[in-house]
Amino acid sequence: MSPETPDSTALALLSLRCPRCHQGKLFSYSALNISRFALMPAQCPECGQTFEPEPGFYFGSMYITFAFNVATVLVVGVLLYYLFGNPDTWVYVAVVTAVTLLLTPVILRYSRALMLYLFGGAQYNANWRTHRR
């Protein structure tokens, strides 16, 4: 096991690594690459685990994205209310819109990762090298 491989599934999820080997990256490009931030390889470059168990698998991640966006709106709204003393409505709209747009790549990536970890059917296997498919 390499030093960068997290043993914890939660740490592997947070670092956007393969659910099976915790080594391969789930995304091909940086989140800062605006045109390609959502591109995922078809399978893990380390262990070969497929990242799309069935066609349309990630349509379900829209619900997770919605939950993240609702949380973003609530947190930003509460912060604006308490830090700026209930500003005008346009301030809420502008700030929430800006924060949501800035967080879109991160929210999409973690929504897909959660979908894969929860419903993808892959479990962590520290001995994946000896049990290759």
Side-chain angles (χ1 to χ4, degrees), residues 29-124:
Y29 297 93
S30 166
L32 300 176
N33 187 333
I34 298 300
S35 63
R36 297 181 179 191
F37 68 87
L39 293 180
M40 298 176 73
Q43 58 190 18
C44 177
E46 299 292 327
C47 69
Q49 172 68 37
T50 183
F51 286 159
E52 190 167 0
E54 61 186 43
F57 177 73
Y58 290 110
F59 284 132
S61 70
M62 289 186 298
Y63 296 104
I64 300 170
T65 299
F66 178 74
F68 278 145
N69 283 327
V70 167
T72 301
V73 168
L74 290 175
V75 168
V76 170
V78 167
L79 286 175
L80 283 173
Y81 181 82
Y82 285 109
L83 294 178
F84 295 102
N86 195 17
D88 291 337
T89 304
W90 70 268
V91 175
Y92 284 107
V93 172
V95 173
V96 165
T97 301
V99 170
T100 302
L101 287 174
L102 288 173
L103 290 178
T104 294
V106 175
I107 288 174
L108 180 131
R109 285 172 164 238
Y110 281 104
S111 296
R112 284 189 174 188
L114 270 172
M115 187 73 181
L116 184 61
Y117 271 73
L118 295 176
F119 305 110
Q123 299 293 323
Y124 176 60

